[in-house]
Amino acid sequence: MHRVLVMREGDWMLDKAKSLMQPSLRSAVPPFMVMDVMAAAARLEAQGRHIVHMEVGQPAAGAPGPALAAARAALGRGPLGYTETLGITSLRRRIAQAYGERYGLDIDPQRVVVTTGSSAAFILAFLAAFEPGDRVAVALPGYPPYRHILTALGCEPVGIKTGPQTRWSITADSLLAEHGVRPLKGLVIASPANPTGTMMSAPALADLIRCAHSAGMIVISDEIYHGLDYAFAAHTAAGLSCEAIIVNSFSKYFCMTGWRIGWMVLPPALLRAVERLQQNLAISVPTLSQIAAEAAFDGRAELEQVKQGYEENRRTLLDGLPRTGLDTFLPADGAFYLYADVSRFCADSFAFATRMLDEAGVAVTPGIDFDPVRGNGFVRLCYAGAREDMREAVERIGHWLKG
Ligand SMILES: Cc1ncc(COP(=O)(O)O)c(C=O)c1O
């Protein structure tokens, strides 16, 4: 009798546990669709198909030689312990020095914080700068995790539509119009941007930051594609405001996606808050990656060659794709993306990308990932792959669209 009772109690506890085991409401963020396309492409490859990958935004090249050599040497030297929470001092100094080299700016290394990719930098920055419920402006189309991280943290991402009249960037006017609806606490800017590849001119960037600050907003500038600028040189928000939060990464220009390392340049007022958060959330950033990242700055010549490859790929696509019927793109100023208007071929970019993958063997990302409404008329093509793949893609897309 007693045993039966215990069993029943156990069942009840199990049922209770199951009912408690529901994902939280704030975890219900949309998936990052590009990862679904990648998985579908992998399934086709497992069946023996050759797929041209233009879906994921990552360099085909690996980390530069000096980074690899430094990592190998560090592995031979002995155990890798934790580092200071804000990052190894010499790396923070090296990053600060790079602001002098690239932009002629004098940045205090104390303001540099090393992070686990720029992805972790966004979590830290949003946590340090915003309260739950704060409204933060992001561009549409734009990089989806800005919106989804803000949502998961209880903030409200506010998508501001951009278009050709404003070169696909938020402007002071569009920002203030949204601020007038209900006050905004922050603004995320990216130039060059993902998925569009478009950049903001120095006056446009300065104007927007000035406007955001005078309306009391915190500005976060995602500069992960700096170094990959073709139309004109990218301008850092660090040169325009000491109050802006600058986010950057070793993933793109430095070809180190899998090393998961990035950084921020912070306004002094946020430093201690970010240090406390990172102490608790991560303790420190992977030591091997920090050592490799510092040495990556010595791989400039190699990295500039990789960049030259992107420029050639960009040219191949801009010259070749119009002949296939894909002839409308946003200004491809930087990064390694073409955002192509496919609205005359479809009203559903996910279905279009799925068919392109199945029938032409070319994997691209549906625009709906970046813009829940108008994204149905666009796909994003990443041109960070091999040169032969660009030619192959043009040929395959041409046959497919004409066939
Ligand atoms: C605009 C933008 N910001 C941030 C990231 C995150 O990169 P990571 O976490 O590798 O630094 C990406 C990755 O694709 C991106 O495109």
Side-chain angles (χ1 to χ4, degrees), residues 201-260:
S201 67
L205 188 64
D207 194 36
L208 184 58
I209 292 176
R210 203 177 312 114
C211 163
H213 280 340
S214 48
M217 287 175 225
I218 295 172
V219 173
I220 293 148
S221 178
D222 181 358
E223 304 187 351
I224 186 170
Y225 292 103
H226 277 214
L228 303 178
D229 38 14
Y230 318 110
F232 49 92
H235 295 274
T236 174
L240 299 165
S241 163
C242 301
E243 295 302 310
I245 299 175
I246 314 299
V247 175
N248 209 321
S249 174
F250 288 90
S251 289
K252 309 294 173 164
Y253 175 77
F254 292 93
C255 301
M256 294 176 71
T257 45
W259 297 75
R260 308 308 303 126

Side-chain angles (χ1 to χ4, degrees), residues 118-175:
S118 69
S119 300
F122 288 113
I123 299 171
L124 292 165
F126 295 161
L127 278 171
F130 304 126
E131 303 293 350
D134 280 350
R135 285 162 45 86
V136 181
V138 297
L140 287 181
Y143 180 60
Y146 303 144
R147 285 179 273 130
H148 302 166
I149 297 171
L150 284 164
T151 303
L153 296 179
C155 301
E156 186 190 335
V158 179
I160 296 188
K161 270 196 209 167
T162 63
Q165 323 74 347
T166 60
R167 279 197 107 251
W168 301 90
S169 298
I170 297 176
T171 59
D173 285 347
S174 58
L175 187 71

Side-chain angles (χ1 to χ4, degrees), residues 338-364:
L338 279 192
Y339 200 51
D341 185 337
V342 292
S343 55
R344 61 181 241 256
F345 299 103
C346 73
D348 173 347
S349 64
F350 190 75
F352 184 81
T354 305
R355 275 186 36 230
M356 191 191 281
L357 175 61
D358 284 345
E359 296 165 17
V362 179
V364 298

Side-chain angles (χ1 to χ4, degrees), residues 1-291:
M1 189 63 196
H2 176 68
R3 207 167 155 208
V4 170
L5 194 67
V6 170
M7 288 277 292
R8 284 204 183 129
E9 255 175 33
D11 288 351
W12 178 84
M13 282 167 67
L14 200 65
D15 280 353
K16 185 77 189 156
K18 274 189 197 151
S19 70
L20 288 174
M21 203 49 74
Q22 300 286 337
S24 66
L25 287 178
R26 65 180 169 174
S27 70
V29 294
F32 197 3
M33 269 183 214
V34 63
M35 303 317 277
D36 291 346
V37 177
M38 201 175 151
R43 282 195 293 278
L44 291 177
E45 279 171 328
Q47 293 162 17
R49 293 269 308 273
H50 172 239
I51 303 298
V52 177
H53 287 276
M54 304 182 91
E55 76 281 36
V56 182
Q58 72 173 336
L68 296 176
R72 283 193 195 101
L75 285 175
R77 267 199 305 272
L80 293 165
Y82 294 130
T83 71
E84 303 92 305
T85 288
L86 295 179
I88 295 175
T89 305
S90 55
L91 172 59
R92 294 171 71 198
R93 278 207 203 104
R94 187 63 192 87
I95 291 169
Q97 185 189 325
Y99 280 82
E101 293 160 0
R102 187 177 285 280
Y103 313 102
L105 287 179
D106 189 10
I107 295 286
D108 179 354
Q110 298 292 333
R111 290 178 57 204
V112 175
V113 177
V114 180
T115 58
T116 310
S118 69
S119 300
F122 288 113
I123 299 171
L124 292 165
F126 295 161
L127 278 171
F130 304 126
E131 303 293 350
D134 280 350
R135 285 162 45 86
V136 181
V138 297
L140 287 181
Y143 180 60
Y146 303 144
R147 285 179 273 130
H148 302 166
I149 297 171
L150 284 164
T151 303
L153 296 179
C155 301
E156 186 190 335
V158 179
I160 296 188
K161 270 196 209 167
T162 63
Q165 323 74 347
T166 60
R167 279 197 107 251
W168 301 90
S169 298
I170 297 176
T171 59
D173 285 347
S174 58
L175 187 71
L176 289 180
E178 191 55 58
H179 191 55
V181 175
R182 241 181 341 121
L184 292 161
K185 183 73 191 297
L187 163 71
V188 180
I189 305 174
S191 169
N194 176 9
T196 59
T198 54
M199 287 168 54
M200 297 178 76
S201 67
L205 188 64
D207 194 36
L208 184 58
I209 292 176
R210 203 177 312 114
C211 163
H213 280 340
S214 48
M217 287 175 225
I218 295 172
V219 173
I220 293 148
S221 178
D222 181 358
E223 304 187 351
I224 186 170
Y225 292 103
H226 277 214
L228 303 178
D229 38 14
Y230 318 110
F232 49 92
H235 295 274
T236 174
L240 299 165
S241 163
C242 301
E243 295 302 310
I245 299 175
I246 314 299
V247 175
N248 209 321
S249 174
F250 288 90
S251 289
K252 309 294 173 164
Y253 175 77
F254 292 93
C255 301
M256 294 176 71
T257 45
W259 297 75
R260 308 308 303 126
I261 181 150
W263 75 87
M264 281 189 280
V265 178
L266 284 177
L270 291 187
L271 265 171
R272 183 63 185 146
V274 165
E275 184 174 23
R276 286 194 308 261
L277 285 163
Q278 183 143 274
Q279 282 168 349
N280 284 282
L281 292 174
I283 299 183
S284 64
V285 170
T287 307
L288 190 64
S289 300
Q290 294 193 59
I291 292 167

